[in-house]
Amino acid sequence: MLEHWVENIAKPYVSENTYSGYEVDVRVHLVPGLGAHRLDRLEPEHLERFYQKMQSNGSAAGTAHHVHRTVRTALSEAVRRGHVPTNAAEIAKAPRLEEEDIEPFTIEEVQSLLVEAAKLRNSARWVVALALGLRQGEALGLHWEDVDLASGYVRIRKNRLRPKYAHGCGANPCGRKAGYCPKREQTRREHKSTKSRAGRRTIGLPDPLIKILRQHHEAQERERIAAGADWQGKGYVFALPTGGPLSPNTDFHTWKRLLKDAGVRNGRLHDARHTAATVLLILGVQDVVVDAIMGWEPGERPVCAPGTCMSLGQC
């Protein structure tokens, strides 16, 4: 029943990422853990014991909570179709999640990150992310057609999707996982449109970021010339040296190395979203290093009160 739901009912109507989450929950957790129970005899207590067992076996509370949401969605459809009278997952207590504290980076930490980011290829990727609070998928999905440097704005319209691969080795299996197959084939599109109204937005660019993006565009043009016939030309703002899209996984590890090289505490990439106001404020601090990175001349620094975003709408 769950396999039918995820492949034939959910898959055609949800995003690739949502489907992937459902599919893993069903295949890895729900079928092995609850497959012995008849759907019409499933009780809330069965689910609660199952969640406890998951965590006892090493699953994080967040994983168990995600599984709970998946089975609740599947059972809602079963109720709607008359297969079961009630949704046991609506009654069962969901696994408890400890609220995670968001720790924005301090002014000193941001200074160190900007200094180190300036040494990297695609350094603009990190400056833009820290200053505008872009999510990883939004930053990696950004295309030049969405950037207007003359008018000074970017439009957030696309999200980079995590790659998914299938074997391409045919009758001669390579023996590796699909993602490491020498002839691997991409089975998921590279990006999707941002559908929510909140996700689609236009963000104004202060002059220092315009300057940084212009320099980045010039550097990418030099890479295009160097790549010659190997240039993929997909229009990504932040791309591989051959113009192809960056992998979210590689991007994540680059972020971790950046933190280490900057001597900054380990932090989630997502926490950088909550640092945007700090970054914009730091750009007003009289610091020679920050001025050099951001391209400001004395007297050009914007001023905003704590908690504001200097008209960028990101605080």
Side-chain angles (χ1 to χ4, degrees):
M1 177 66 184
L2 284 171
E3 295 99 326
H4 173 80
W5 168 77
V6 74
E7 291 297 330
N8 300 292
I9 300 174
K11 186 176 182 178
Y13 298 100
V14 300
S15 69
E16 291 96 329
N17 285 347
T18 299
Y19 162 73
S20 292
Y22 286 164
E23 192 275 332
V24 169
D25 287 345
V26 168
R27 174 173 49 84
V28 176
H29 301 291
L30 290 169
V31 170
L34 294 173
H37 294 279
R38 283 174 50 111
L39 189 64
D40 57 353
R41 295 182 182 177
L42 187 65
E43 300 290 341
E45 292 76 16
H46 294 145
L47 293 172
E48 290 161 350
R49 286 194 293 270
F50 169 60
Y51 303 147
Q52 287 292 332
K53 185 175 181 181
M54 280 185 63
Q55 294 179 77
S56 296
N57 290 337
S59 292
T63 301
H65 198 274
H66 194 279
V67 168
H68 170 75
R69 294 202 306 268
T70 296
V71 71
R72 183 180 62 192
T73 302
L75 290 177
S76 291
E77 184 64 25
V79 170
R80 192 181 74 84
R81 296 179 178 225
H83 298 312
V84 293
T86 59
N87 186 339
E90 292 283 2
I91 303 170
K93 292 288 187 181
R96 182 177 179 180
L97 286 177
E98 295 293 335
E99 187 172 345
E100 294 186 67
D101 292 330
I102 295 170
E103 297 184 40
F105 294 105
T106 66
I107 290 175
E108 292 76 15
E109 288 173 330
V110 170
Q111 287 176 334
S112 297
L113 285 169
L114 291 177
V115 170
E116 289 302 319
K119 303 174 184 177
L120 300 177
R121 181 185 170 275
N122 275 335
S123 60
R125 183 262 183 272
W126 306 107
V127 179
V128 168
L130 288 167
L132 301 183
L134 300 185
R135 299 175 179 88
Q136 185 193 45
E138 294 170 342
L140 299 190
L142 196 62
H143 285 61
W144 284 114
E145 65 184 10
D146 301 320
V147 180
D148 190 328
L149 296 179
S151 300
Y153 67 83
V154 296
R155 291 180 296 177
I156 307 303
R157 302 190 299 174
K158 303 180 184 71
N159 266 299
R160 173 78 169 103
L161 296 173
R162 291 188 176 278
K164 187 174 183 181
Y165 302 102
H167 280 281
C169 45
N172 300 307
C174 63
R176 305 177 184 179
K177 291 183 179 180
Y180 297 94
C181 175
K183 298 180 180 180
R184 67 184 185 186
E185 298 175 353
Q186 174 71 264
T187 59
R188 178 179 291 168
R189 54 182 170 161
E190 292 177 355
H191 60 81
K192 68 173 182 177
S193 298
T194 301
K195 294 182 179 180
S196 70
R197 183 175 298 178
R200 292 192 306 269
R201 61 199 187 278
T202 299
I203 304 175
L205 293 171
D207 288 342
L209 285 187
I210 294 175
K211 181 177 179 179
I212 287 172
L213 284 171
R214 286 190 190 280
Q215 292 171 343
H216 175 69
H217 189 266
E218 292 169 1
Q220 194 177 87
E221 278 296 296
R222 291 193 292 271
E223 290 184 337
R224 180 186 64 80
I225 294 171
D230 293 330
W231 182 255
Q232 296 182 39
K234 295 190 174 184
Y236 286 98
V237 174
F238 306 117
L240 295 170
T242 54
L246 292 174
S247 164
N249 186 54
T250 301
D251 182 75
F252 170 79
H253 289 295
T254 302
W255 166 251
K256 291 298 183 182
R257 286 197 302 272
L258 177 59
L259 290 172
K260 182 179 179 180
D261 293 343
V264 172
R265 60 184 164 85
N266 190 30
R268 299 174 304 172
L269 181 59
H270 187 76
D271 285 348
R273 278 179 47 75
H274 303 279
T275 306
T278 303
V279 176
L280 294 173
L281 287 170
I282 198 178
L283 298 182
V285 174
Q286 294 183 4
D287 187 286
V288 175
V289 175
V290 177
D291 285 348
I293 293 173
M294 302 310 295
W296 269 344
E297 298 296 333
E300 291 183 348
R301 302 179 188 93
V303 178
C304 67
T308 65
C309 62
M310 292 191 254
S311 79
L312 294 179
Q314 295 300 305
C315 293

